[in-house]
């Protein structure tokens, strides 16, 4: 249903008793200063919340309020409105019905927007109300830039074929209207929209591949314009201040750019490959900053124990896991909690990912001899209370870190090991004396990231015979006693069945039994003592707990355990497979 007369939101809110006349007058004055809509101004001033306004409008106008969080979109229906029109008027086509279109609008009182939308659609419009924040997220999911990227790649390919775009043009980094600049801007915008952590640009024999890592998994787009690869690489090298004439050696750099209003820090790595140069870029959203420690996803009991450990006055706390498991994110969250005026904090990083006020962050530069060990030695002369070392890479760095922990400093760092128990073995293998570790090591936190089940398309899932057998043999569990979830795939999750990731954690706190095993450098005894340690729960068990809570899938639990589907089938006894066939 549409309406034909002007609705005054302020009057409706006053009549319903949600705000006072005085509040309305104040909001109207503030609205003139800010140049925003009245509803947004009232919300920003804290006079009312968005849901109260939307529920009132829904009741007064007789139109439904629709929650887009788990709404099942039909992409072809949504695209009845172009992205520019949809974003301009904050509207989205939800249903194509026999007689009309159902259109969700953030502000259904905007008659001008309604008229413009009606003019773009071939059938009448019926309105629904939607939350603006949900609407903007829906735009990012629906209006991908795949077609735009392909079109810009084709345009750049034609420019290069005609010879009108040469190296002299590319050297002019300020030329933002150049085809190569527009193509890269579109690639970055698409990556930020879908929450990609990395962009890979890879030239092959006949195509150039653009791959984005979303929730830890790469998604690929191919372009046949292979001739554009050198131009794209040159442009990116210029942006990062790299040597554009050097194509035989790998190079690393970084640059900043603004994408969709967000300040993005881009770390770039180039490498010569068979058909040109491969480029990988890590995207860091500086506007988000470091997470609060409560946002990491740790269970309350484990979070309480971890907080207790990082508040120790001295000693060493390590965070372990493979590359891409979120170790640095956890350390930054810990630093954010510890960052107080009374504490001097120095970090040694490669590279510095997020800038944090009050913390002295040092970027290592091995080319000039400024490595982790050298910076760490100097840091100890700066009277720190807390030191964060980006990674314990070698014996020298570990020994200095242990020495710092013994002399009254709290040392936080990361290590590439698979779990908490193997950390002790790794440190001993690096040459650290067992008695020193026994004295200084306070706790080890191991972590992984698993993909979350998409809430929009999650459905009940029954484990098959192979998964049930694995659960029985590995975790000693009866699969029939639990309920699991799996996403069938929808527009919200890009038809992957997953949306977002969650951390899985394993915390091992040192006690007298563990310390004694370290002192004697008895790794077998350390492993056995860890299994008896209070509160210790292996990663795989924690991941399975998430699965039975419907947060992740059994597939992700198996992936964390390093178990492939083929291995499951091979390891399942033949009699069970015959039973399955029957």
């Amino acid at each position: 249903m549409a309406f034909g007369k002007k609705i005054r939101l302020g009057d409706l809110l006053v009549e319903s008793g949600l705000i006072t006349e005085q509040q309305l007058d104040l909001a109207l004055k503030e609205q003139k200063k800010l140049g925003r809509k009245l509803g947004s101004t009232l919300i920003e001033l804290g006079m009312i919340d968005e849901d109260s306004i939307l529920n009132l409008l829904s009741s007064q106008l007789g139109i439904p309020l629709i929650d887009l969080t788990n709404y099942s979109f039909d992409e072809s229906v949504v695209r009845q409105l172009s992205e520019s029109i949809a974003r301009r008027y904050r509207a989205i086509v939800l249903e194509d019905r026999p007689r009309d279109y159902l259109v969700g609008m953030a502000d259904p009182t905007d008659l001008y927007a309604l008229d413009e939308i009606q003019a773009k659609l071939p059938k009448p419009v019926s309105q629904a109300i939607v939350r603006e924040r949900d609407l903007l997220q829906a735009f990012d999911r629906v209006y991908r830039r795949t077609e735009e990227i392909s079109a810009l790649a084709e345009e750049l390919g034609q420019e290069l074929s005609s010879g009108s775009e040469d190296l002299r043009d590319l050297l002019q980094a300020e030329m933002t209207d150049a085809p190569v600049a527009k193509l890269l801007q579109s690639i970055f915008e698409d990556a930020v929209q879908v929450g990609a952590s990395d962009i890979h640009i890879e030239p092959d024999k006949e195509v150039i591949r653009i791959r984005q890592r979303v929730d830890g998994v790469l998604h690929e787009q191919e372009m046949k314009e292979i001739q554009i690869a050198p131009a794209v690489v040159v442009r990116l090298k210029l942006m990062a201040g790299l040597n554009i004439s050097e194509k035989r050696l790998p190079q690393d750099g970084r640059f900043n750019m603004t994408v969709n209003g967000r300040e993005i820090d881009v770390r770039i790595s180039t490498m010569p490959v068979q058909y040109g140069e491969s480029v990988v870029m890590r995207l860091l959203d500086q506007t988000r900053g470091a997470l609060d420690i409560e946002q990491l996803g740790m269970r309350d009991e484990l979070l309480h124990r971890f907080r207790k450990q990082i508040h120790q006055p001295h000693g060493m706390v390590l965070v372990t896991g493979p590359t891409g498991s979120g170790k640095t994110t956890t350390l930054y969250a810990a630093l954010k909690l510890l960052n107080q005026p009374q504490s001097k904090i120095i970090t040694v990083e490669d590279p510095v990912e997020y800038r944090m006020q009050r913390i002295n962050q040092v970027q290592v530069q091995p080319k000039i001899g400024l490595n982790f060990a050298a910076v760490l030695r100097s840091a100890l002369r700066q009277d720190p209370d807390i030191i964060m070392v980006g990674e314990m890479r070698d014996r020298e760095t570990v020994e200095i870190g242990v020495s710092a922990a013994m002399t009254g400093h709290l040392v936080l760092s990361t290590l590439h090991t698979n779990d908490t128990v193997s950390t002790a073995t790794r440190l001993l293998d690096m040459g650290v004396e067992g008695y020193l570790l026994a004295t200084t090591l306070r706790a080890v936190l191991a972590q992984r990231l698993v993909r979350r089940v998409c809430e929009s398309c999650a459905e009940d899932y029954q484990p098959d015979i192979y998964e049930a057998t694995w659960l029985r043999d590995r975790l000693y569990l009866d699969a029939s006693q639990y309920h699991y979830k799996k996403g069938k795939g929808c527009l919200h999750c890009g038809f992957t069945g997953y949306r977002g990731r969650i951390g899985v954690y394993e915390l091992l706190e040192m006690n007298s039994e563990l310390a004694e095993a370290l002192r004697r450098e008895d790794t077998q005894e350390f492993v056995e003592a860890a299994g008896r340690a209070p509160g210790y729960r292996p990663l795989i068990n924690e991941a399975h707990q998430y699965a039975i809570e419907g947060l992740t899938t059994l597939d992700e639990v198996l992936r964390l355990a390093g178990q492939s589907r083929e291995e499951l089938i091979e390891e399942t006894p033949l009699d069970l497979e015959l039973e399955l066939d029957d």
Side-chain angles (χ1 to χ4, degrees):
M1 153 182 178
F3 50 89
K5 63 178 183 177
K6 180 73 174 175
I7 300 294
R8 295 175 60 88
L9 176 61
D11 293 340
L12 284 178
L13 292 170
V14 172
E15 289 171 12
S16 62
L18 293 174
I19 63 172
T20 64
E21 287 279 4
Q22 291 78 12
Q23 286 177 315
L24 176 59
D25 291 340
L26 177 62
L28 288 171
K29 291 176 183 176
E30 194 66 21
Q31 179 193 12
K32 291 179 181 178
K33 296 180 188 175
L34 299 175
R36 297 179 183 174
K37 292 189 175 182
L38 178 60
S40 300
T41 305
L42 287 164
I43 294 169
E44 186 166 319
L45 292 173
M47 296 177 179
I48 195 170
D49 60 79
E50 183 182 20
D51 281 356
S52 296
I53 294 177
L54 298 183
N55 284 319
L56 174 65
L57 288 175
S58 175
S59 172
Q60 291 290 325
L61 303 177
I63 59 179
L65 171 59
I66 294 179
D67 185 357
L68 297 183
T69 308
N70 297 316
Y71 192 86
S72 296
F73 294 99
D74 183 330
E75 188 173 359
S76 62
V77 171
V78 174
R79 288 184 174 274
Q80 293 292 317
L81 279 181
S82 68
E83 181 179 4
S84 59
I85 294 294
R87 287 187 182 274
R88 184 184 308 162
Y89 298 119
R90 295 291 192 264
I92 189 167
V93 184
L94 300 173
E95 293 181 31
D96 182 356
R97 304 190 293 203
R99 295 188 178 183
D100 61 9
Y101 288 104
L102 179 65
V103 176
M105 298 183 67
D107 181 7
T109 67
D110 190 339
L111 296 180
Y112 175 77
L114 182 62
D115 288 342
E116 290 296 310
I117 293 165
Q118 181 65 81
K120 300 292 182 183
L121 296 174
K123 288 189 291 190
V125 168
S126 288
Q127 290 176 293
I129 306 176
V130 296
R131 296 179 186 86
E132 185 169 11
R133 64 178 183 275
D134 295 342
L135 182 63
L136 295 177
Q137 290 175 359
F139 287 156
D140 289 345
R141 291 193 295 270
V142 176
Y143 293 108
R144 291 294 305 276
R145 299 175 183 268
T146 306
E147 295 178 7
E148 178 183 316
I149 290 170
S150 296
L152 287 169
E154 185 177 351
E155 178 187 349
L156 176 58
Q158 292 171 352
E159 290 274 356
L160 292 170
S161 298
S162 66
S164 59
E165 181 87 1
D166 60 21
L167 190 58
R168 285 173 297 180
D169 295 325
L170 295 173
L171 286 170
Q172 298 181 43
E174 70 277 5
M175 286 182 58
T176 56
D177 59 340
V180 66
K182 291 191 289 186
L183 171 61
L184 284 171
Q185 184 68 25
S186 186
I187 290 172
F188 281 117
E189 288 175 356
D190 185 57
V192 169
Q193 280 185 197
V194 298
S197 60
D198 302 84
I199 302 173
H200 297 230
I201 300 177
E202 303 168 345
D204 209 332
K205 184 176 181 180
E206 297 179 349
V207 296
I208 179 172
R209 291 186 176 87
I210 308 295
R211 302 206 280 176
Q212 299 173 343
R213 190 175 295 280
V214 181
D215 294 337
V217 177
L218 287 170
H219 300 266
E220 183 177 293
Q221 179 182 357
E222 289 187 354
M223 296 180 294
K224 62 182 183 297
E225 294 82 11
I226 185 62
Q227 72 271 24
I228 72 174
V232 170
V233 173
V234 167
R235 179 75 184 198
L236 288 169
K237 284 184 174 181
L238 287 168
M239 294 169 72
L242 302 180
N243 182 356
I244 63 171
S245 63
E246 180 56 77
K247 302 176 182 178
R248 302 165 300 170
L249 296 173
Q251 295 186 67
D252 297 308
R254 68 191 304 165
F255 58 89
N256 294 301
M257 64 186 304
T258 302
V259 181
N260 297 336
R262 300 180 187 176
E263 186 68 25
I264 304 297
D265 188 13
V266 182
R267 286 160 41 191
I268 178 173
S269 171
T270 70
M271 177 177 288
V273 291
Q274 188 175 8
Y275 296 104
E277 289 182 272
S278 168
V279 178
V280 175
M281 292 172 284
R282 169 65 56 89
L283 309 183
L284 298 168
D285 189 345
Q286 296 294 331
T287 57
R288 292 181 181 176
L291 294 177
D292 291 327
I293 200 165
E294 293 81 10
Q295 296 175 292
L296 294 175
M298 293 182 189
R299 297 188 183 281
D300 291 343
E301 182 267 340
L302 190 146
L303 176 60
H304 172 74
R305 291 162 52 210
F306 183 62
R307 289 174 67 122
K308 181 180 176 182
Q309 291 298 333
I310 63 175
H311 277 101
Q312 296 290 329
H314 55 81
M316 187 161 62
V317 177
L318 299 177
V319 180
T320 74
T323 301
S325 59
K327 301 185 297 296
T328 303
T329 299
T330 298
L331 282 183
Y332 272 113
L335 290 178
K336 188 174 182 180
L337 178 68
L338 297 170
N339 188 10
Q340 302 295 330
Q342 62 269 27
S343 297
K344 168 94 169 186
I345 302 176
I346 298 176
T347 72
V348 189
E349 306 175 61
D350 183 22
V352 174
E353 295 195 3
Y354 292 104
R355 280 81 172 176
M356 303 183 75
Q357 293 183 354
R358 196 186 291 117
I359 294 179
N360 297 269
Q361 297 173 272
V362 183
Q363 163 84 52
V364 301
Q365 299 184 56
K367 291 180 181 178
I368 61 172
L370 196 65
N371 55 28
F372 277 100
V375 177
L376 195 48
R377 280 195 211 93
S378 298
L380 290 172
R381 294 193 288 270
Q382 291 279 312
D383 188 29
D385 297 293
I386 301 167
I387 299 173
M388 191 274 271
V389 184
E391 183 184 344
M392 293 291 188
R393 294 188 177 182
D394 51 48
R395 176 177 178 174
E396 186 179 15
T397 305
V398 175
E399 288 179 341
I400 298 171
V402 168
S403 176
M406 289 186 66
T407 53
H409 305 87
L410 176 64
V411 178
L412 307 176
S413 189
T414 70
L415 198 64
H416 285 281
T417 55
N418 290 326
D419 52 39
T420 56
V421 177
S422 60
T423 299
T425 304
R426 175 71 188 281
L427 289 170
L428 291 172
D429 288 344
M430 292 173 77
V432 184
E433 298 289 347
Y435 73 91
L436 292 177
L437 286 177
T439 305
T440 56
L441 189 61
R442 293 282 179 265
V444 183
L445 179 78
Q447 67 179 78
R448 295 288 192 284
L449 294 175
V450 295
R451 291 180 290 173
R452 282 181 177 270
V453 174
C454 175
E455 295 179 4
S456 302
C457 62
E459 56 186 16
D460 291 337
Y461 176 73
Q462 183 65 38
D464 61 28
I465 191 68
Y466 305 113
E467 294 164 333
T469 303
W470 182 85
L471 287 169
R472 183 198 66 192
D473 295 345
R474 177 70 185 273
L475 300 183
Y476 311 107
L477 299 172
D478 181 357
S480 64
Q481 302 299 310
Y482 301 99
H483 299 282
Y484 301 95
K485 293 286 186 181
K486 193 168 189 174
K488 62 182 179 181
C490 66
L491 195 60
H492 287 276
C493 60
F495 301 97
T496 63
Y498 299 97
R499 185 166 52 168
R501 290 190 289 179
I502 185 171
V504 181
Y505 301 92
E506 165 187 307
L507 180 62
L508 179 63
E509 297 173 283
M510 296 298 294
N511 57 28
S512 56
E513 190 178 6
L514 288 165
E516 182 58 32
L518 272 182
R519 190 172 287 108
R520 297 199 315 265
E521 299 188 8
D522 187 339
T523 55
Q524 183 58 40
E525 175 58 28
F526 186 86
V527 171
E528 294 173 2
R532 297 188 293 268
Y536 173 72
R537 187 180 193 184
L539 281 167
I540 192 68
N541 296 79
E542 189 73 4
H544 180 260
Q545 181 63 35
Y546 282 169
I548 63 178
E549 292 175 6
L551 295 173
T552 191
T553 65
L554 269 181
D555 285 339
E556 285 293 281
V557 177
L558 291 165
R559 188 168 70 90
L560 185 149
Q563 194 83 32
S564 69
R565 183 74 180 177
E566 291 75 16
E567 290 172 331
L568 277 190
I569 296 173
E570 287 177 9
E571 294 170 5
T572 301
L574 182 60
D575 57 338
L576 286 178
E577 291 194 41
L578 293 174
E579 180 184 320
L580 178 65
D581 292 336
D582 292 341

